[in-house]
Amino acid sequence: MSQAEALAVRNPSPLWALGLFRSELTTMLRRWRTVALLGVLAVVPVVIGIAVKIETSDGGTVGAGGPEGGGGPAFLAQITNNGLFLVFAALAATLPVFLPMAIGVVAGDAVAGEAGAGTLRYLLVAPAGRTRLLCAKYLSVLAFCLVATLVVTATALAVGALLFPVGEVTTISGTRISFGEGLVRAALVALVVAVSLTGVAALGLFVSTLTSSGIAAMAATVGLLITVQILDAIPQLHAIHPYLFPHYWLSFADLLRDPVVWDEMIKNVGIQGLYAAVFGSAAWARFTSRDITA
């Protein structure tokens, strides 16, 4: 148990929950696994940027890539004209696989990892309480969603500005906006992407309460993620697609329209909230009734 957690156990002050959350987040971010995941996420925009730079160095063009797909990640063709589009291309490339898998690994290990290491019961010493501990862990996973998204965004922005020109942004609608407004929209895109991962976070936390093996929880979460994505890609199952958490992930592209179209983004937020509520409640029900022996 860390010093902050020990102090929190002895002193149930109003700031206890904040201290526990801070301790959970700090511990999570210091793990080598978390650092490695963030490192992999940071490499993706670098690889995309260098690949586009090499392909266009002789005056060639990149395969057409738009928000509707085709020829690679969305926005790929626009990177050579404006490095800011590397942010959107990198997020479009990492959101289907890399980002949710990273979240699944962290969320799956949240409770199961503590149980496997034999430290979970020490965290539950009164007045900690299971509900508060579970909330602190979920909030730390949500914070990681934001951190992971910002790592991709910041790296892509730096690489894009280094390798390509930056300036006014041409929206999907064909209008032009200032670079400053483009940065604001990039920040909003990053926020929408982070929110899109909250459903995966809740699912992973629930799976983590079902086992004492961190590896098993991580593998199960990633397996469920892959299964749901496969289901979302089968046209014959179109009736259930709107209820699958990845279905509206790429709706952030609508932030680059003029005016912005909010319909699918609102649906995305709604479905993520539904998954967070359902699997968060299931995680709470399981964790508060679980026999903790380790």
Side-chain angles (χ1 to χ4, degrees), residues 250-273:
L250 295 181
S251 62
F252 71 79
D254 289 337
L255 280 167
L256 293 179
R257 301 185 188 276
D258 193 17
V260 175
V261 179
W262 296 99
D263 294 353
E264 290 203 348
M265 282 186 286
I266 292 175
K267 292 179 181 178
N268 181 36
V269 172
I271 198 68
Q272 302 308 323

Side-chain angles (χ1 to χ4, degrees), residues 100-209:
M101 281 192 176
I103 303 306
V105 168
V106 171
D109 188 58
V111 175
E114 297 277 9
T119 57
L120 184 58
R121 60 181 177 181
Y122 296 108
L123 295 177
L124 296 176
V125 177
R130 300 191 181 198
T131 299
R132 290 179 177 178
L133 178 61
L134 189 68
C135 288
K137 287 188 173 294
Y138 184 53
L139 288 176
S140 67
V141 175
L142 293 184
F144 180 75
C145 293
L146 183 59
V147 170
T149 304
L150 290 179
V151 165
V152 176
T153 302
T155 305
L157 182 61
V159 174
L162 181 63
L163 298 180
F164 305 100
V166 293
E168 288 188 333
V169 178
T170 302
T171 67
I172 296 175
S173 304
T175 59
R176 297 179 69 85
I177 59 177
S178 67
F179 180 69
E181 185 176 350
L183 285 176
V184 172
R185 296 206 185 191
L188 290 175
V189 165
L191 180 60
V192 170
V193 170
V195 171
S196 298
L197 298 169
T198 56
V200 175
L203 175 61
L205 189 67
F206 169 62
V207 173
S208 188
T209 64

Side-chain angles (χ1 to χ4, degrees), residues 104-105 207 214-224:
V105 168
V207 173
I215 294 177
M218 290 184 283
T221 302
V222 172
L224 287 172

